[in-house]
């Protein structure tokens, strides 16, 4: 006969729910926790005592004590519990120490030129950054684990990078290499950067409370992160959401993946800069084209219109497939979207099925360029949030 959950299992679930609540929403009064977690006051008191003893929360008197009566203690996450978060992007490598509550305590950025990137040139600066940050960690701080975001197709179970066309990686064991730097006692989780940006915007950004979301990120290529029914849609092996490689123009240009006419060859930075007759690459040049268009430069305006049109075609496809409540445009796509919003919306209205598109909101990220870092921190915190009594 199957029995219900034990007292201990229920306690751990409740501890996880409380810790997740203050981790995502910040300082919260015990009274609010009682209401929002549906638990009684004495249970909340026992749970906060356990979490405080584990060094995961702090309790304090509220600053505003205007009202009469005994004030409800405020519960806040303890940033001494921390993770390392890494992002490997087209133009820079970043390492950060992030405290519980999602606060970036320390960060080190290493800018780099675009193009092929031997893995050792990623791991060495990250290892240096970790060592430098470790020197300033206060005594008593507790390391939970690490997460890394990379613009690539990543195998979920061990962080093997199957394909990262913009840095030239095929079957690169990034998870294994980072585990050697960080030590074997805590997990290192590697995920696709767009997936992590979607997760971060969903948990603490523009899409809080929005359970169906498509996040589009532009840098050297186009990445996609999809949340469906409140859960990341990663597919069987973790490779889902490669929206940049949906073929939209079979007669189009060759793509880094080996196919021709992928969406990113029509809406990526290179497509915009080519259409605007500009040499070079990068977000600054994209911004310069957007500026030129705003000042009336006809070539730049045409380029924005052309890319905006292709952007709209792809968004309409995605809206028809996923029926999202929100589509977020991040990275260099943020600037392109803002300049071409009318174009994108009009394509979506012509090509999107009315029932699929009628409630969709088109947005830019709230977390800006920190979204990938915060998403990487989020996956590193996840084992602790699932079971705060983890040894
Ligand atoms: Zn492709």
């Amino acid at each position: 006969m199957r029995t219900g959950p034990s007292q201990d299992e229920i306690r751990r679930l409740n501890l996880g729910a409380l810790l997740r609540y203050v981790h995502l929403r910040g300082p919260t009064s015990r009274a609010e926790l009682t209401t929002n977690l549906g638990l009684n006051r004495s249970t909340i008191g026992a749970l906060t005592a356990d979490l405080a003893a584990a060094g995961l929360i702090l309790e304090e008197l509220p600053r505003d004590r205007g009202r009469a009566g005994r004030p409800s203690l405020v519960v806040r996450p303890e940033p001494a519990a921390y993770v390392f978060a890494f992002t490997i992007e087209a133009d820079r490598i970043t390492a950060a120490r992030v405290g519980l509550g999602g606060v970036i305590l320390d960060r080190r950025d290493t800018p780099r030129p675009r193009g092929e990137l031997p893995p050792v040139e990623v791991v060495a600066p990250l290892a240096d950054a970790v060592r430098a940050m470790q020197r300033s960690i206060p005594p008593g701080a507790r390391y939970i684990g690490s997460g890394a975001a990379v613009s690539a197709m990543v195998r979920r179970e061990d962080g093997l990078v199957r394909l990262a066309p913009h840095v030239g990686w095929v079957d690169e064991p990034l998870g294994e290499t980072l585990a050697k730097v960080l030590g074997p006692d805590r997990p290192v989780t590697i995920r696709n950067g767009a997936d992590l940006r979607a997760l971060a915007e969903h948990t603490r950004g523009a899409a809080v409370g929005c359970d169906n979301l498509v996040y589009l990120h532009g840098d050297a290529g186009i990445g996609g992160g999809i949340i469906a029914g409140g859960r990341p849609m990663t597919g069987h092996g973790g490779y889902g959401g490669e929206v940049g490689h949906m073929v939209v123009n079979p007669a189009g240009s060759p793509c880094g993946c080996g196919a021709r006419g992928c969406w990113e060859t029509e809406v990526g930075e290179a497509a915009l800069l080519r259409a605007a007759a500009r040499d070079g690459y990068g977000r600054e040049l994209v911004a310069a084209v957007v500026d030129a268009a705003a000042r009336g430069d006809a070539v730049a305006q045409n380029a924005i219109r052309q890319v905006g049109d292709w952007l709209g075609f792809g968004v309409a496809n995605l809206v028809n497939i996923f029926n999202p409540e929100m589509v977020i445009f991040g990275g260099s796509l943020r600037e392109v979207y803002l300049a071409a919003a009318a174009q994108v919306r009009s394509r979506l209205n012509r090509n999107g099925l009315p029932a699929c598109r009628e409630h969709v909101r088109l947005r830019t990220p709230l977390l800006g360029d920190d979204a990938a870092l915060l998403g990487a921190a989020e996956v590193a915190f996840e084992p602790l949030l699932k079971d705060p009594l983890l040894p």
Side-chain angles (χ1 to χ4, degrees), residues 23-336:
H23 168 64
L24 292 177
R25 299 180 189 221
T28 309
S29 73
R30 277 198 192 186
E32 191 184 328
L33 289 169
T34 304
T35 309
N36 290 343
L37 295 176
L39 298 166
N40 65 40
R41 274 172 51 192
S42 63
T43 304
I44 292 289
L47 295 172
T48 55
D50 283 349
L51 291 172
L56 297 173
I57 60 152
L58 298 163
E59 288 197 279
E60 59 191 22
L61 287 167
R63 290 212 184 89
D64 169 25
R65 297 178 61 183
R67 275 180 303 171
R70 201 160 130 233
S72 176
L73 287 172
V74 170
V75 180
R76 57 191 313 145
E78 168 57 91
Y82 71 91
V83 299
F84 285 119
F86 309 109
T87 59
I88 299 160
E89 296 179 86
D91 310 297
R92 63 182 178 158
I93 300 163
T94 304
R97 193 165 72 84
V98 182
L100 196 61
V103 43
I104 296 174
L105 301 165
D106 195 353
R107 73 184 292 161
R108 314 283 158 132
D109 288 290
T110 313
R112 66 168 216 91
R114 282 227 181 142
E116 300 265 317
L117 176 67
V120 62
E121 286 179 28
V122 169
V123 174
L126 289 183
D128 289 347
V130 166
R131 277 192 290 273
M133 288 191 287
Q134 278 169 335
R135 282 197 283 276
S136 59
I137 294 173
R142 180 174 159 203
Y143 172 55
I144 307 298
S146 295
V150 55
S151 302
M153 300 176 72
V154 183
R155 189 160 72 192
R156 281 184 81 78
E157 57 271 30
D158 60 359
L160 178 81
V161 174
R162 297 290 303 276
L163 178 68
H166 303 288
V167 290
W169 294 4
V170 177
D171 291 339
E172 200 52 57
L174 183 65
E176 204 181 292
T177 314
L178 280 181
K180 279 183 197 143
V181 172
L182 293 154
D185 52 330
R186 293 283 166 198
V188 181
T189 307
I190 321 282
R191 293 282 183 272
N192 172 274
D195 287 349
L196 291 181
R197 289 182 176 91
L199 178 70
E201 292 291 339
H202 175 61
T203 48
R204 50 174 87 241
V208 169
C210 165
D211 279 347
N212 293 283
L213 141 83
V214 173
Y215 182 103
L216 302 171
H217 181 78
D219 48 37
I222 300 292
I226 292 154
I227 307 265
R231 306 172 71 105
M233 199 236 48
T234 55
H236 172 62
Y239 312 124
E242 284 294 332
V243 299
H245 300 286
M246 62 179 172
V247 175
V248 294
N249 182 5
S253 312
C255 177
C257 73
R260 184 176 281 276
C262 293
W263 196 30
E264 72 176 41
T265 68
E266 300 293 351
V267 302
E269 288 178 2
L272 179 76
L273 296 173
R274 196 172 54 237
R278 307 259 174 156
D279 288 327
Y281 53 80
R283 199 160 163 186
E284 287 73 27
L285 275 183
V286 170
V289 173
V290 168
D291 273 357
R295 287 196 314 270
D297 178 326
V299 176
Q301 284 174 342
N302 266 329
I304 296 276
R305 250 198 309 276
Q306 182 186 323
V307 168
D309 214 30
W310 282 110
L311 191 56
F313 277 124
V315 167
N317 285 339
L318 294 169
V319 164
N320 286 347
I321 296 168
F322 293 105
N323 181 208
E325 300 156 71
M326 191 179 286
V327 179
I328 301 179
F329 300 86
S332 52
L333 271 188
R334 177 184 182 279
E335 280 74 40
V336 174

